[in-house]
Amino acid sequence: MRIIWILMCLFTATLVHANPKFDHDYAKWQAQQKAIDARLKAQKAGQDPNYYLSKPSVSAAAQGAKVNINRASLTELQQLSGVGQKKAEAIIQYREQHGPFKAVNDLQNVKGIGPKLLEKNRARLAL
């Protein structure tokens, strides 16, 4: 039984090290975790308020107020038509990695956001 376990471990290790996509995905994940850790440390020290998790007022969302895609919180982004938690998180992650959006059309660079979704919300988007 122990020999089978050893062989399985060796086989798994061979697959993991032979797969360059695994190395790339792991490095990407590791970089994301370091960024999150740095943000949490800064927040704990009082240097970086967690502005992107603040809740917008319901009246602003009900009035169809403009949403600043460079400063909107997770909840504010979810007020856009067709944008749920995952897409809102993707928008925040994209702007943290690439800096602020230069144009509203740059929102299409975020995975899961295409021209139809952009056009549906264009009147409510701002920089």
Side-chain angles (χ1 to χ4, degrees), residues 5-125:
W5 182 80
I6 292 171
L7 290 174
M8 286 177 51
C9 288
L10 289 173
F11 179 72
T12 305
T14 304
L15 286 178
V16 168
H17 292 295
N19 187 351
K21 183 175 177 354
F22 172 82
D23 292 337
H24 173 72
D25 290 346
Y26 177 74
K28 183 178 174 184
W29 172 83
Q30 194 174 32
Q32 290 171 346
Q33 292 304 311
K34 285 182 181 179
I36 291 169
D37 289 346
R39 192 172 1 146
L40 290 174
K41 279 184 184 177
Q43 180 186 356
K44 188 175 182 180
Q47 298 169 350
D48 180 25
N50 203 358
Y51 68 92
Y52 58 88
L53 290 178
S54 65
K55 296 189 178 197
S57 65
V58 175
S59 61
Q63 295 173 358
K66 294 256 184 190
V67 175
N68 184 320
I69 58 176
N70 286 325
R71 287 186 270 150
S73 69
L74 184 70
T75 309
E76 289 169 330
L77 290 169
Q78 290 180 35
Q79 300 302 316
L80 296 170
S81 177
V83 178
Q85 182 175 351
K86 293 289 184 186
K87 287 184 184 174
E89 288 172 352
I91 292 169
I92 291 171
Q93 184 178 13
Y94 182 88
R95 73 180 183 210
E96 286 175 354
Q97 291 177 350
H98 301 283
F101 294 97
K102 306 265 190 275
V104 173
N105 285 340
D106 292 344
L107 198 55
Q108 291 183 78
N109 296 336
V110 177
K111 183 178 181 182
I113 298 182
K116 288 183 182 178
L117 185 66
L118 183 65
E119 289 307 316
K120 192 186 310 183
N121 291 294
R122 187 174 292 278
R124 294 198 52 212
L125 298 175

